[in-house]
Amino acid sequence: MSAFRTATGGRIDRSRVIEFEFDGVRYTGLAGDTLASALLANGVHLMGRSFKYHRPRGVLGAGAEEPNALVGVWRDEARYTPNLRATTVELYAGLKAESQNRSPSLTVDKGSVNSLLSPFIPAGFYYKTFMWPKGAWKSLYEPAIREAAGLGRAPRLADPDRYGNRHAHCDVLVIGAGPAGIAAARAAAAAGASVILCDEQAEFGGSLLADPTAEIDGQPAAQWLAASLAELSAASRVTLLGRTTAFGYFPHNHVGLNQKLTDHLDKPAEGAIRERLWQVRASQVLIAQGAIERPLVFPGNDLPGILLASAARTYLNRYGVRVGEQIAVVTAHDAAYQTAFELKAAGAGIAVIADVRADVDAALLEQAAGLGITVRRAATVLGTTGKLRVTGLVLGSVSGEAVQAGDTIACDAVIMSGGFTPSVHLHSQSRGKLEWQPALGAFVPGEAAEATLSAGACRGVFGLAAVLNDGAAQGAAAATAAGHGAGVRTYQASEAARHGGGFLGALPQPGGKPGKKAFLDWQNDVTTRDIALAIREGFVSVEHVKRYTTNGMATDQGKTSNMNALALVAATLGKPIPECGLTTFRMPYTPVTFGSFAGYSRGDLFEPVRRTAIHDWAREHGAVFEDVGAWKRARYFPRGGEDMHEAVNRECIALRHGCGIFDASTLGKIEVVGPDAATFLERLYVNSWANLKVGRSRYGILCREDGFVYDDGVIARLAEDRFHVTTTTGGAARVYAFMEDYLQTEWQDLRVWLTSITEQYSVIAVQGPNARRVLEPLIEGVDLSATALPHMGVATGRILGVPMRLFRVSFTGELGFEVNVPADYGRAVWEAIFASGESHGIVPYGTEAMHVLRAEKGYIIVGQETDGTLTPDDAGLGWAIGRQKADFVGKRSLARASMQTADRKQLVGLRTVDPAVVLEEGAQIVDSPGQTPPMRLIGHVTSSYHSAVLGHSIALAVVRGGRARLGHTLYVPMPEGDIPVTVTSTVFYDADGARLHG
Amino acid sequence: MQRYSALSIFHRGLSGHESWRPQWRRAAPKAAYDAVIVGGGGHGLGTAYYLASVHGLTNIAVLEKGWVGGGNTGRNTTIIRSNYLFDESAALYNHALKLWEDLSQVLNYNVMYSARGVMMLAHNVHDVQVAKRHIHANRCNGVDNEWLTPEQAKEFCPPLNISDNIRYPVLGAALQRRGGTARHDAVAWGYARAADALGVDIIENCEVTGFRKDAHGAIEAVETSRGLITTRKVGVVAAGNTSAVMRLADVRLPLESFPLQALVSEPVKPAFPCVVMSNTIHAYISQSDKGELVIGAGTDAYTSYTQRGGLHINTHTLDAICELFPMFRRMQMLRNWGGIVDVTPDRSPIIAKTPVKGLYVNCGWGTGGFKATPGSAHVFAHTIANDEPHPINAPFNIERFRDGFLIDEAAAAAVAH
Amino acid sequence: MLQIQCPYCGVRPESEFAYGGEAHIARPTDPSTLNDDQWAEFLYMRTNTKGVHAERWRHARGCNRFFNALRDTTSDRFLAFYRTGEPRPVLAGGKP
């Protein structure tokens, strides 16, 4: 057993020795250790290097507040985690940790040259330099700074671990399982409230875990703790969440908890969930976060071996580790005395207790004297000695304003206490107000913004009995507020430590000047001189001080530094602390893994894919898919090594000469039903609907109120009071919401009901001169002849006995039908049609061929030809507008003068002078060749393809005043030169529509 | 103004940095100014700087209700780019980008503009079409923006996952090499210092409580929490609070204010070389000089002035980032924060005169105002000084909404058909 | 994630709802009688209230009904929920 491990005591399991590695050196610890306690037990204080000056640093705290001892933990290469606090890393067998921000090693670090340069790199120095020569910032200075900055290294491989997510509701969420939290949870549970009690640590108990002599209700605190936890875990309406940090307080009592499940295990089970995000909605949130001890600010206060007194007590009593052999104590608070006494009792030497205060409780002095411990009152610290470990404490004495230099006390550790800062983080995150308590020298929770209560040290209540009783009272209050009336019980308790005193700011130095290297923010290397400089340079708001010096912006987010810095700012400005304000508390309370936010949402579960009923058939037939919204759509069906263009050319030709089959199921479909259905569409779409006969359909255009094209689709009238509306694939959900909006909020007079039927129907487009022949044998009850079912005709009937809505529509310009059948029959009907078509040369075609075919006909695609800035007329669809209608959505906007001008961008066709050249979609258009940037752009190419059927390229474009430029030559300026193009009609194929009506 | 340089730091360092003076004076409001800027963010301070340096108006004040740079200037993800689609936007943002390029030297303040490249990913055919349209339009407008294949994209940004068996495979990317980042605080402070040196009063903790107009309805004074200030010209640059300020002058604007959240990870050694944005997956990421991964996404759904939003916005942002960069799953969020972004119907800004004579407004930057800071400030100063817009900001007027001349970048990026 | 009380279904998390913008902006019954300024007012002008805001929500992943709410945009606290077509409630203290 190491020299620093006590013989007895603590909550570690002395029977289980655990091997681990730190920086390649093998050590042993005990089950129950943290990495920090195990290293301290081995006499290792040096655990890290600071951010800016690369100063050697030891562990400062024993918990989440730790700014110094940051390590990378390596389970395997894909499970490397940087920047973990050694104080919260639980030891497991085989743990490998490495120190960070040093090269080549912790003891010899090239970066420590920064510390020598520190007189010339004060706060904000980088704003004043690195400006010459221009461009050197990016090429020279910045790379060097980036290399020096950062802490650990980022993981390099994809993280294989899983993360979970759970939503929970409760009457009372208790945050923190120290004495206040446990008493609160007991009280709330006793009242019948459902309770979630969470604590960031592996073990519940908070301060009780480091207080072996405390008694509660006449029994040792440990016994009370065990009994209380047994009671709570037996309670059916209580959920206990260990290793669970409440990191964020969101509106309406929504609290985010991060639960760590596997990081402490020797060998986590395969596929085990590493962390779980709990999203808790609580009627009442009871915060019992405790308080964090403040360090004292004096020159050289950052040497390894200097740490918080409460941390030393935790290491001693919880982990059985003495932090040194000869320990100096610097304190402004009574509690550190008890730590000194306990360390002394555990065999450590106490070199001195230097108390900042002149007046110290006589009982404490008497007790110290009884143990042979020297106490210096009205003391200050002028410096420390040592390089990689503290070797001495240079004391001074304070008399009025004067500071006298004193002697140097030899020691191998210094423990310090500036008093305790209540953890108001979550209360503040919830937007509750904070109140300054002058007697306490601390901000405590004031008026709440949510249903929030605080209990115990986090609201400035100290002393075990007071904390327990506060917890019990607040727990009962929370339960009552949540509707479970509760009585209040009281506890009797005693503890050895006293609670009084405290100090804010920097310890006095000779001449009233800030001392050298007196650190406020350990990790970011912010000193008292930096604060002074910031104020000298006019950064007087605390937010400015923070940003200019980076105080409080390290990974501990100022848990140990913010109050001292604030006090220093206030003192420098001669203003009371509350007038200086506090920087905002933001989530997370402690850093939270990205993966736990993402949770299950990864891979297949990251935005689930939508597939049609025919998807698998397409996959089996070699389709290449594309993402369209959340859908997978077959893009083309290559055969025998074809590339996309070859496949598309073949599909197009086959369709124009025979027949093609296409899965159009992703199109949005909305059934509009009711006596006023026609009126509804009349008001909504630009077209006229009242005159649409039953059994007919019409191409509809929907605008937003601003007059720009929003969506389009064919709308069929199935009955007087029943319309089948189709939308674009991407527009389905928003058009449906759009319709509901008008129906529910503007036109409540209309008797219309909307149903989204997108997923209820498979839509099979059968297109081409043979389409009728392919379908006819399969269909019952519908005459497919051109006279009975002309272009845009609609009928209902059966196909293979399956109910069907049959549309004679075409997005290809050929004779075409769209077969709508219930989605469950989609694949079967598709296969039957395909089989029927095989003798007629049927081919499956994908979205790419569909795009070419429709472009040959000049049919637009909303979102490709239009982009939210085109009116129907711009898109060449002015003919569709019901001119005689008094109103429709967008009509008033279209009446604005700017919507009528001749130079609006209008849809036209383009032919390249060289028929082999296919323009690039998105290419820009100018009206004269040889322009140089900035050019006078008059439009752009919206669609462009090689047309196999026509034997030349075709393109659609929007061009300013385009329709007046028919026949003109325009130019598409490309990096290789201008491509001349001729403006044409948008219809390239079968201009008179003979094939369509065949 | 004390010159800043390595030499001056060394020199003053020898005497313990005792001789540095405030970067700007803590000015008290005077009774009258030639012009008053309401809002001490980057755009407002920059406007004051250009009013003084370009237009010679030095008897002016910037009124800030809190501390300078405390609004969206200090809360954004510092992305700079100019590869906008429409000619009007490209002109405005490229004007800004040109000013960024030597802003540190002009202000003698290192704003750390770093042209590390902004890469916008395309994940589907529609994205590719939109990206290419941008690239062609940008090229013809003299704005750099180039197409990268997935392999080229990965070469530029090695952490990128370009395998084709992920939910949204990377089909390519549009890269603007001159795009990048800058240090947000430095922009506010650099402009404040430079404006102050020209005589501009920067007045913090001074909230505007009202406007006074003369018999003709023109601005004649501003009422503030620190007294009445007489002036004939007021430029309001109040971001999320613009509606509230302008209401004091009875001017209504087509604005809504939404919470926008962003977050940083703990700092790590260099792991991410550029800025990557994905509109389809909806997130963006870069790494700061300090080493933090800086990540943002879209706004919360509802209007709010609380400077905070919901947890679900963060979960969606980070699931997207983890999907694109699965090695970052074990990185830890250090800090999340919220700003208030004012959004116009076409998501383009308003930089314009208002119906009230002497009252000018610069607002509506939505989620993208930081990148425009120098350009916006420069043309707004021109507008105030001349009572006429600069040609670059002329299209960004208020009347465009009435007349239908929207500059709708978002609609042009459209949604899949 | 806000907690929203659908007047038809009860209290549900925000993820079930779609925000619908400012409430009580009725579409003019005869837009053709408005001049461009008046029309633009309807199309685009919003109060963007810093304080109590009347707004629309749709229970998109529930009953799909639109309804209105009063919410304080400085705290995000809801003060009232009411059905479409009902007048804006007068809050205690007489403040609209």
Side-chain angles (χ1 to χ4, degrees), chain B residues 65 240-241 243-244 247 252-258 300-306 308 310-312 345 398 401-403 406, chain C residues 1-2 14-15 19 21-22 36-37 39-41 43-51 53 55 57 71-76:
Chain B
K65 71 173 176 156
N241 287 301
S243 296
R247 193 167 301 128
R252 272 159 66 80
L253 290 170
L255 287 178
E256 289 188 289
S257 295
F258 292 91
D300 276 78
Y302 47 84
T303 61
S304 177
Y305 289 86
T306 58
R308 68 165 174 174
L311 173 56
H312 58 297
I398 304 176
F401 299 102
R402 179 194 63 202
D403 298 337
L406 303 189
Chain C
M1 175 135 11
L2 305 179
E14 182 193 337
S15 51
Y19 182 67
E22 185 170 351
D36 283 355
D37 281 315
W39 180 243
E41 176 79 15
L43 274 185
Y44 297 125
M45 293 301 172
R46 300 294 177 261
T47 59
N48 201 22
T49 312
K50 194 172 186 174
H53 186 239
E55 63 196 21
W57 290 88
R71 182 174 53 92
D72 184 341
T73 60
T74 65
S75 68
D76 290 338

Side-chain angles (χ1 to χ4, degrees), chain A residues 443-469:
Chain A
F443 286 102
V444 295
E447 191 191 334
E450 299 271 354
T452 314
L453 294 166
S454 290
C458 72
R459 70 178 193 117
V461 174
F462 292 98
L464 184 55
V467 164
L468 285 164
N469 288 322

